[in-house]
Amino acid sequence: MTTKSAPARSVRSRWRRVLPWFATAAVLAACSGPAAENNTTTQTAGPTGTLTSVSVVTHGSAGDAFWNVVKNGAAAAGKQLGIKVDYQSSGDPTQQAKLIDNAVAQGVGGLVVSMANPDALRPSIQKAVAAGIPVVTINSGEAQSASVGAIGHVGQSEESAGEGAGKRLAAAGKHKLLCVIHEAGNIGDNQRCDGATKGFGGSATTLQVDINNPTDAQSRIKGALESDHSIDAVLTLNSQVAARAVAAVGEAGSAAQIATFDLNSEVVDAIKSGKLLFAIDQQQYEQGYLPIVMLQLYKSNRNTVGGGAPVQTGPAFVDKDNVDAIATLVSQGTR
């Protein structure tokens, strides 16, 4: 048997003391990513910190399938990152501003806001920024996002999406377009119709309806079609209004073809049956999911995304050629 020398025993003894430290360091390093968000010991070290809560405040109406998908995206990101996500909404800009104020008063860690009415929300968002709460805007208010102090914006360029829709309708041989606005004061609705008018290139007009009164919306669309038989294209800006437009075209005996923004199960079925020409999908699941990730990166590593430009989630177009591949995802609440 070979006997170890004293120096060898000393080296071995030192390694026995040091190796556990390396092992611990490796574990801590491996746990420092998003999957270990609950490890407060490692996450709170340094000048940044841990994002523990986010409030998502949108202008969605109760029961709107579009905003349910946004909510699903935010909830999924929160679950994966270990962040508490509170989703609230109101179609009333004044009430939406109060929801933002409440979140600030409660000391929320991050804020996600849709700015359909930027002027009404600006003071509340700026209060959040002044309180040191990072803000990401989504869906509407792309042009105003930086001016209110948001660290980024996630959505689609509404005017560009509208222009793409107008071009598709023109390519389908349509000559007179009716663009249906469903929320008064929503800057995004106006931008969509402005873009559609530009892309369409032909005669176009707008019609104001109220998404909260679907029966009246259907009646108004029907009336517009009955009073002007030259309208051969209808563009709705919401999936729920699209269903009303389909019914109105049938009641009016019109030959107009319909296209819409946004998806739901009824829109999918209408595309399959030929009652809808196409839908513009802005992939709103991403509008819920990505801001939570962006806020986490900013809080933990001072990262920003987009380089000062919006993160675009659309437009993607869904028609008879790809609707079958999308249908299951819509039913799952992720498209």
Side-chain angles (χ1 to χ4, degrees):
M1 177 182 295
T2 303
T3 303
K4 299 289 185 181
S5 66
R9 286 196 300 271
S10 176
V11 170
R12 184 175 61 185
S13 177
R14 285 198 299 272
W15 273 108
R16 283 175 177 171
R17 292 195 300 270
V18 172
L19 280 173
W21 183 89
F22 277 115
T24 301
V27 170
L28 290 176
C31 292
S32 63
E37 197 60 39
N38 290 327
N39 191 331
T40 56
T41 301
T42 59
Q43 290 297 313
T44 55
T48 52
T50 301
L51 181 66
T52 59
S53 64
V54 173
S55 285
V56 181
V57 184
T58 77
H59 66 277
S61 301
D64 190 325
F66 176 92
W67 290 104
N68 287 339
V69 176
V70 175
K71 180 180 180 180
N72 290 344
K79 183 177 181 180
Q80 291 172 12
L81 294 173
I83 298 168
K84 180 183 177 183
V85 175
D86 178 42
Y87 178 94
Q88 298 184 71
S89 66
S90 176
D92 178 355
T94 301
Q95 182 60 31
Q96 189 185 1
K98 289 181 179 178
L99 293 173
I100 295 170
D101 291 339
N102 290 341
V104 173
Q106 292 166 10
V108 70
L111 192 60
V112 179
V113 181
S114 66
M115 291 200 304
N117 194 318
D119 291 339
L121 303 185
R122 181 179 295 274
S124 294
I125 296 174
Q126 289 179 329
K127 286 178 185 176
V129 174
I133 300 171
V135 178
V136 174
T137 58
I138 63 170
N139 186 260
S140 301
E142 170 188 318
Q144 292 80 16
S145 178
S147 69
V148 299
I151 64 169
H153 179 84
V154 180
Q156 73 175 1
S157 172
E158 303 292 17
E159 187 164 351
S160 295
E163 187 173 350
K167 288 179 177 178
R168 282 197 168 219
L169 289 168
K174 305 306 170 186
H175 300 94
K176 187 163 189 179
L177 171 65
L178 177 68
C179 190
V180 183
I181 296 175
H182 60 272
E183 287 178 339
N186 185 332
I187 188 173
D189 281 3
N190 293 322
Q191 289 170 339
R192 289 176 177 183
C193 282
D194 289 345
T197 299
K198 179 181 178 181
F200 190 63
S203 176
T205 186
T206 59
L207 174 69
Q208 180 72 58
V209 302
D210 182 0
I211 190 173
N212 296 310
N213 192 340
T215 301
D216 182 66
Q218 181 174 323
S219 177
R220 288 178 179 272
I221 297 170
K222 176 187 175 184
L225 294 171
E226 288 178 334
S227 63
D228 187 350
H229 295 286
S230 66
I231 295 174
D232 57 2
V234 177
L235 178 63
T236 63
L237 311 180
N238 173 275
S239 55
Q240 291 174 289
V241 180
R244 296 295 174 169
V246 169
V249 165
E251 291 176 354
S254 172
Q257 285 192 292
I258 307 165
T260 190
F261 277 75
D262 305 330
L263 292 171
N264 64 11
S265 295
E266 289 180 307
V267 167
V268 167
D269 291 342
I271 292 174
K272 288 181 177 182
S273 66
K275 293 178 181 178
L276 268 174
L277 195 59
F278 61 82
I280 303 101
D281 178 21
Q282 60 179 300
Q283 302 180 109
Q284 70 270 28
Y285 185 87
E286 295 179 339
Q287 295 178 19
Y289 188 98
L290 294 178
I292 309 301
V293 178
M294 290 167 65
L295 288 168
Q296 163 66 4
L297 287 170
Y298 181 79
K299 185 72 173 180
S300 65
N301 205 44
R302 287 300 183 265
N303 290 130
T304 56
V305 180
V311 177
Q312 298 287 346
T313 65
F317 290 89
V318 179
D319 55 24
K320 63 181 181 180
D321 292 331
N322 63 353
V323 67
D324 288 334
I326 302 297
T328 300
L329 303 174
V330 172
S331 66
Q332 292 175 352
T334 59
R335 286 296 289 268

